[in-house]
Amino acid sequence: MSSKNPVRRAPRFVAEVDEGGLGAVDAVRVSDRKSNLWLDAWRDLRSRWMFWISAVIILFIVFVAIFPGVFTSVPPNDNCILSVQTQAQAEEFGVPVGTRISNHGPLPGHPLGFTKQGCDVFSRIVHGTGTSLSVGIIVTVLVAIMGIVLGAFAGYFGGWLDSFLMRIGDIFFAIPYILAAVVIMSMFLHDRNIWIISLAIGFFAWPSTARILRSEVLRVKQLDFVTASEAIGLSKFRTMFTHVMPNSIAPVIIISTVGLAGAITAEATLSFLGVGLPNNIFMSWGNDISAAQTSLRTAPQTLIYPSIALSLTVLAFIMLGETVRDALDPKARATR
C-alpha cells in the first residue's frame, strides 16, 4: 500500500555559504597592518592632542638646553652690574649714566629685566634649562637602572632574594628622599655639582620603581610563553631578559617620565633651600626663585619668570607621562 501511494516530500534546497550569510559570520578578518603593544600605543598617541602639545614643549626645552646661545648672547653671571657707571654701559643698556640696573625692568636686549644682583633674567632662565634637564635625566636613568635590576630579580626569582631586596627597599622607602638629599648635600659644601646632586636624589628614589616592576614581573612570569620558554630549556636569566623584561617594562617607562619631572622639582627645591647647586657656578631656577623672595614687591619679574619656566617644564613631562600611561593600557584604550 505504501508503494502504491508514495508520500511526496518537498524538495530541499541547501544554499551556498556565501548566499546564506554564514560566510560573513565565520570569516576571519585579515589585515596587513602589524599590531603589538608599542605600535598600538603609538597609533593612540598620534591621535591625542595632549601628547603633541607636551612633545612640542619638551622638544623646545631640549633645544634650549643644548643650544642656549641661539636665544641669548648675554652671559648669565659675567655681565651683572648694579648700576650704569660708564658711557659704554649707558650705550649698551640704552639708559643714562647712573641708572640703577638692580631689579630694573625690561631694557633693549634684556626682555625680562634684571635680578637684584643686576644679572639678566632671561639669560639665567635660558642657561638654567640645561642644568635642570641634566639633573632630571641623570636621576631618571639612575632610578630606572636600580629599580629595574632590583625589581626584576626580586620578582622573577622570588624566595629569600625577593624578601631581602624588598626589605632593603622598605628601608629606603621610609626615608624621604628630599630629606636624605639635604643631608647628603650638606656634607659637600665646596664640591657640589650636577653629579653629586643627582646621586643624592636618585639613590633614595628607586624603591617605588622597583616595587612597580616587581609586581609586573610577578604577573608576566605566570603566563604561558614564559612557561614554554623554560620548558624548551632556556636558562632563567635568558628567559628573564628576553621574555619577561620586554613585557614588563611599560610601567617603568610611564613612572620614569613622571619621575623626571619630580627630579627637576627636587633639584629646584634643594637649590631653593640653599643646599643645591652653587649660584655662582651653575644656573638654577631654584636659586633664582630663592634670591627673588626679597624683591617680590619691587621686582616681581625676578620670581615670576623662573617659576613659569619651572612649572611649564614639569607640567610638560607630567602631561607626557599621563598620555603614555593611557596609550600603554589596553583597557584604557578599549573604554575610549
Side-chain angles (χ1 to χ4, degrees):
M1 185 173 180
S2 60
S3 61
K4 293 180 180 181
N5 298 310
V7 178
R8 294 181 179 274
R9 297 180 179 179
R12 296 182 178 180
F13 174 76
V14 179
E16 296 293 337
V17 174
D18 293 338
E19 297 178 8
L22 295 177
V25 177
D26 297 337
V28 178
R29 292 184 179 179
V30 179
S31 176
D32 295 333
R33 189 175 70 170
K34 295 182 179 180
S35 178
N36 56 47
L37 176 64
W38 303 106
L39 287 177
D40 292 342
W42 170 239
R43 295 188 187 105
D44 183 78
L45 286 174
R46 290 185 302 179
S47 63
R48 297 172 64 86
W49 61 269
M50 187 180 295
F51 165 74
W52 289 111
I53 292 177
S54 60
V56 169
I57 295 175
I58 290 173
L59 289 176
F60 178 74
I61 291 171
V62 172
F63 185 81
V64 172
I66 298 176
F67 305 105
V70 175
F71 299 91
T72 179
S73 58
V74 179
N77 268 340
D78 299 338
N79 201 30
C80 302
I81 60 172
L82 297 179
S83 61
V84 176
Q85 300 177 352
T86 64
Q87 186 62 34
Q89 292 177 346
E91 294 177 356
E92 177 185 354
F93 292 103
V95 295
V97 176
T99 302
R100 184 173 179 81
I101 297 298
S102 176
N103 287 336
H104 199 284
L107 290 175
H110 308 275
L112 301 184
F114 299 86
T115 65
K116 187 176 182 179
Q117 293 76 24
C119 302
D120 184 81
V121 174
F122 181 72
S123 178
R124 290 189 63 85
I125 291 175
V126 170
H127 287 85
T129 305
T131 302
S132 298
L133 198 61
S134 298
V135 173
I137 293 174
I138 295 173
V139 171
T140 302
V141 172
L142 176 63
V143 170
I145 292 175
M146 296 182 66
I148 289 173
V149 172
L150 298 178
F153 276 86
Y156 187 74
F157 291 98
W160 66 269
L161 183 61
D162 182 19
S163 300
F164 176 72
L165 293 178
M166 287 301 99
R167 296 299 77 76
I168 294 178
D170 291 340
I171 295 174
F172 279 85
F173 198 78
I175 304 174
Y177 70 91
I178 289 292
L179 178 60
V182 169
V183 175
I184 293 177
M185 294 301 295
S186 300
M187 300 169 58
F188 296 90
L189 297 178
H190 305 290
D191 298 319
R192 298 174 184 171
N193 54 47
I194 291 177
W195 290 100
I196 294 296
I197 193 171
S198 299
L199 292 174
I201 298 172
F203 190 71
F204 291 89
W206 60 267
S208 58
T209 302
R211 284 176 173 271
I212 291 174
L213 185 68
R214 172 183 174 272
S215 63
E216 191 67 11
V217 169
L218 289 174
R219 181 189 68 83
V220 172
K221 78 173 185 178
Q222 304 296 330
L223 300 179
D224 294 338
F225 68 88
V226 177
T227 305
S229 66
E230 295 176 348
I232 63 176
L234 292 182
S235 64
K236 287 185 174 295
F237 283 97
R238 186 174 179 182
T239 300
M240 182 178 69
F241 285 108
T242 59
H243 296 289
V244 177
M245 291 296 296
N247 291 279
S248 306
I249 203 69
V252 177
I253 296 177
I254 299 170
I255 193 175
S256 296
T257 306
V258 179
L260 197 151
I264 293 175
T265 305
E267 182 275 325
T269 301
L270 293 175
S271 297
F272 178 84
L273 295 175
V275 292
L277 298 172
N279 192 28
N280 59 339
I281 300 177
F282 297 95
M283 303 306 106
S284 172
W285 294 335
N287 284 330
D288 291 343
I289 294 173
S290 177
Q293 292 181 96
T294 57
S295 306
L296 181 58
R297 288 188 176 182
T298 58
Q301 77 276 3
T302 59
L303 176 66
I304 293 175
Y305 292 127
S307 301
I308 291 176
L310 176 62
S311 301
L312 189 63
T313 302
V314 172
L315 179 62
F317 282 103
I318 292 177
M319 289 171 57
L320 181 63
E322 293 291 330
T323 54
V324 171
R325 182 197 63 186
D326 294 339
L328 291 175
D329 187 1
K331 294 181 180 178
R333 290 201 304 269
T335 57
R336 290 197 301 269

